[in-house]
PDB file of all heavy atoms in Angstrom:
ATOM      1  N   PRO P 285       8.579  -6.109 182.082  1.00 84.00           N
ATOM      2  CA  PRO P 285       8.785  -6.548 180.695  1.00 84.00           C
ATOM      3  C   PRO P 285       7.495  -6.866 179.943  1.00 84.00           C
ATOM      4  O   PRO P 285       7.394  -6.594 178.746  1.00 84.00           O
ATOM      5  CB  PRO P 285       9.656  -7.805 180.866  1.00 84.00           C
ATOM      6  CG  PRO P 285      10.410  -7.559 182.136  1.00 84.00           C
ATOM      7  CD  PRO P 285       9.462  -6.818 183.029  1.00 84.00           C
ATOM      8  N   ASP P 286       6.492  -7.437 180.617  1.00 80.00           N
ATOM      9  CA  ASP P 286       5.260  -7.820 179.932  1.00 80.00           C
ATOM     10  C   ASP P 286       4.249  -6.689 179.819  1.00 80.00           C
ATOM     11  O   ASP P 286       3.230  -6.844 179.158  1.00 80.00           O
ATOM     12  CB  ASP P 286       4.603  -9.007 180.650  1.00 80.00           C
ATOM     13  CG  ASP P 286       5.376 -10.292 180.441  1.00 80.00           C
ATOM     14  OD1 ASP P 286       6.159 -10.341 179.481  1.00 80.00           O
ATOM     15  OD2 ASP P 286       5.205 -11.237 181.225  1.00 80.00           O
ATOM     16  N   GLY P 287       4.488  -5.562 180.501  1.00 87.00           N
ATOM     17  CA  GLY P 287       3.503  -4.486 180.440  1.00 87.00           C
ATOM     18  C   GLY P 287       3.580  -3.568 181.640  1.00 87.00           C
ATOM     19  O   GLY P 287       4.591  -2.915 181.881  1.00 87.00           O
ATOM     20  N   LEU P 288       2.514  -3.557 182.427  1.00 90.00           N
ATOM     21  CA  LEU P 288       2.392  -2.612 183.525  1.00 90.00           C
ATOM     22  C   LEU P 288       1.635  -3.267 184.668  1.00 90.00           C
ATOM     23  O   LEU P 288       0.684  -4.024 184.450  1.00 90.00           O
ATOM     24  CB  LEU P 288       1.628  -1.363 183.059  1.00 90.00           C
ATOM     25  CG  LEU P 288       1.522  -0.196 184.022  1.00 90.00           C
ATOM     26  CD1 LEU P 288       2.856   0.544 184.082  1.00 90.00           C
ATOM     27  CD2 LEU P 288       0.426   0.756 183.568  1.00 90.00           C
ATOM     28  N   ILE P 289       2.062  -2.969 185.895  1.00 92.00           N
ATOM     29  CA  ILE P 289       1.349  -3.463 187.068  1.00 92.00           C
ATOM     30  C   ILE P 289       1.345  -2.353 188.114  1.00 92.00           C
ATOM     31  O   ILE P 289       2.238  -1.484 188.114  1.00 92.00           O
ATOM     32  CB  ILE P 289       1.993  -4.758 187.615  1.00 92.00           C
ATOM     33  CG1 ILE P 289       1.063  -5.445 188.624  1.00 92.00           C
ATOM     34  CG2 ILE P 289       3.367  -4.481 188.228  1.00 92.00           C
ATOM     35  CD1 ILE P 289       1.489  -6.868 188.957  1.00 92.00           C
ATOM     36  N   THR P 290       0.341  -2.340 188.987  1.00 94.00           N
ATOM     37  CA  THR P 290       0.177  -1.231 189.932  1.00 94.00           C
ATOM     38  C   THR P 290       0.121  -1.749 191.371  1.00 94.00           C
ATOM     39  O   THR P 290      -0.975  -1.897 191.926  1.00 94.00           O
ATOM     40  CB  THR P 290      -1.097  -0.437 189.611  1.00 94.00           C
ATOM     41  OG1 THR P 290      -2.216  -1.354 189.508  1.00 94.00           O
ATOM     42  CG2 THR P 290      -0.962   0.312 188.301  1.00 94.00           C
ATOM     43  N   PRO P 291       1.277  -2.033 191.987  1.00 95.00           N
ATOM     44  CA  PRO P 291       1.269  -2.390 193.410  1.00 95.00           C
ATOM     45  C   PRO P 291       0.745  -1.222 194.246  1.00 95.00           C
ATOM     46  O   PRO P 291       0.846  -0.062 193.836  1.00 95.00           O
ATOM     47  CB  PRO P 291       2.736  -2.696 193.707  1.00 95.00           C
ATOM     48  CG  PRO P 291       3.505  -2.004 192.634  1.00 95.00           C
ATOM     49  CD  PRO P 291       2.636  -2.020 191.426  1.00 95.00           C
ATOM     50  N   ILE P 292       0.208  -1.541 195.410  1.00 97.00           N
ATOM     51  CA  ILE P 292      -0.532  -0.548 196.192  1.00 97.00           C
ATOM     52  C   ILE P 292       0.159  -0.258 197.517  1.00 97.00           C
ATOM     53  O   ILE P 292       0.529  -1.183 198.251  1.00 97.00           O
ATOM     54  CB  ILE P 292      -1.965  -1.049 196.462  1.00 97.00           C
ATOM     55  CG1 ILE P 292      -2.674  -1.332 195.135  1.00 97.00           C
ATOM     56  CG2 ILE P 292      -2.755  -0.036 197.282  1.00 97.00           C
ATOM     57  CD1 ILE P 292      -3.948  -2.135 195.293  1.00 97.00           C
ATOM     58  N   VAL P 293       0.312   1.023 197.826  1.00 97.00           N
ATOM     59  CA  VAL P 293       0.751   1.471 199.147  1.00 97.00           C
ATOM     60  C   VAL P 293      -0.524   1.765 199.941  1.00 97.00           C
ATOM     61  O   VAL P 293      -1.205   2.767 199.701  1.00 97.00           O
ATOM     62  CB  VAL P 293       1.639   2.728 199.056  1.00 97.00           C
ATOM     63  CG1 VAL P 293       2.087   3.152 200.453  1.00 97.00           C
ATOM     64  CG2 VAL P 293       2.852   2.461 198.170  1.00 97.00           C
ATOM     65  N   ARG P 294      -0.860   0.856 200.839  1.00 97.00           N
ATOM     66  CA  ARG P 294      -2.109   0.970 201.600  1.00 97.00           C
ATOM     67  C   ARG P 294      -1.993   2.051 202.680  1.00 97.00           C
ATOM     68  O   ARG P 294      -0.956   2.205 203.318  1.00 97.00           O
ATOM     69  CB  ARG P 294      -2.447  -0.365 202.262  1.00 97.00           C
ATOM     70  CG  ARG P 294      -2.544  -1.549 201.305  1.00 97.00           C
ATOM     71  CD  ARG P 294      -3.859  -1.602 200.606  1.00 97.00           C
ATOM     72  NE  ARG P 294      -3.953  -2.764 199.705  1.00 97.00           N
ATOM     73  CZ  ARG P 294      -4.974  -2.996 198.895  1.00 97.00           C
ATOM     74  NH1 ARG P 294      -5.996  -2.161 198.886  1.00 97.00           N
ATOM     75  NH2 ARG P 294      -4.979  -4.045 198.093  1.00 97.00           N
ATOM     76  N   LYS P 295      -3.089   2.802 202.871  1.00 97.00           N
ATOM     77  CA  LYS P 295      -3.175   3.836 203.897  1.00 97.00           C
ATOM     78  C   LYS P 295      -1.937   4.731 203.884  1.00 97.00           C
ATOM     79  O   LYS P 295      -1.305   4.982 204.909  1.00 97.00           O
ATOM     80  CB  LYS P 295      -3.375   3.206 205.282  1.00 97.00           C
ATOM     81  CG  LYS P 295      -4.648   2.372 205.389  1.00 97.00           C
ATOM     82  CD  LYS P 295      -4.841   1.803 206.791  1.00 97.00           C
ATOM     83  CE  LYS P 295      -6.131   1.000 206.877  1.00 97.00           C
ATOM     84  NZ  LYS P 295      -6.363   0.430 208.221  1.00 97.00           N
ATOM     85  N   ALA P 296      -1.605   5.191 202.694  1.00 97.00           N
ATOM     86  CA  ALA P 296      -0.368   5.956 202.503  1.00 97.00           C
ATOM     87  C   ALA P 296      -0.339   7.240 203.322  1.00 97.00           C
ATOM     88  O   ALA P 296       0.732   7.715 203.702  1.00 97.00           O
ATOM     89  CB  ALA P 296      -0.169   6.270 201.023  1.00 97.00           C
ATOM     90  N   ASP P 297      -1.505   7.814 203.602  1.00 96.00           N
ATOM     91  CA  ASP P 297      -1.533   9.070 204.364  1.00 96.00           C
ATOM     92  C   ASP P 297      -1.115   8.894 205.809  1.00 96.00           C
ATOM     93  O   ASP P 297      -0.730   9.855 206.475  1.00 96.00           O
ATOM     94  CB  ASP P 297      -2.941   9.679 204.305  1.00 96.00           C
ATOM     95  CG  ASP P 297      -3.989   8.743 204.876  1.00 96.00           C
ATOM     96  OD1 ASP P 297      -4.010   7.553 204.492  1.00 96.00           O
ATOM     97  OD2 ASP P 297      -4.795   9.187 205.724  1.00 96.00           O
ATOM     98  N   THR P 298      -1.167   7.653 206.323  1.00 96.00           N
ATOM     99  CA  THR P 298      -0.826   7.385 207.731  1.00 96.00           C
ATOM    100  C   THR P 298       0.618   6.952 207.905  1.00 96.00           C
ATOM    101  O   THR P 298       1.077   6.775 209.035  1.00 96.00           O
ATOM    102  CB  THR P 298      -1.744   6.299 208.310  1.00 96.00           C
ATOM    103  OG1 THR P 298      -1.481   5.043 207.649  1.00 96.00           O
ATOM    104  CG2 THR P 298      -3.214   6.664 208.122  1.00 96.00           C
ATOM    105  N   LYS P 299       1.363   6.770 206.816  1.00 96.00           N
ATOM    106  CA  LYS P 299       2.717   6.226 206.890  1.00 96.00           C
ATOM    107  C   LYS P 299       3.751   7.337 206.752  1.00 96.00           C
ATOM    108  O   LYS P 299       3.531   8.338 206.061  1.00 96.00           O
ATOM    109  CB  LYS P 299       2.927   5.167 205.806  1.00 96.00           C
ATOM    110  CG  LYS P 299       2.054   3.930 206.018  1.00 96.00           C
ATOM    111  CD  LYS P 299       2.214   2.921 204.913  1.00 96.00           C
ATOM    112  CE  LYS P 299       1.355   1.680 205.206  1.00 96.00           C
ATOM    113  NZ  LYS P 299       1.410   0.696 204.113  1.00 96.00           N
ATOM    114  N   SER P 300       4.894   7.109 207.391  1.00 95.00           N
ATOM    115  CA  SER P 300       5.994   8.071 207.282  1.00 95.00           C
ATOM    116  C   SER P 300       6.664   7.925 205.920  1.00 95.00           C
ATOM    117  O   SER P 300       6.485   6.924 205.210  1.00 95.00           O
ATOM    118  CB  SER P 300       7.022   7.811 208.388  1.00 95.00           C
ATOM    119  OG  SER P 300       7.682   6.577 208.169  1.00 95.00           O
TER     120      SER P 300
END
Side-chain angles (χ1 to χ4, degrees):
D286 288 340
L288 186 75
I289 193 167
T290 51
I292 302 166
V293 181
R294 304 279 181 185
K295 300 182 179 180
D297 59 311
T298 66
K299 294 177 178 176
S300 68

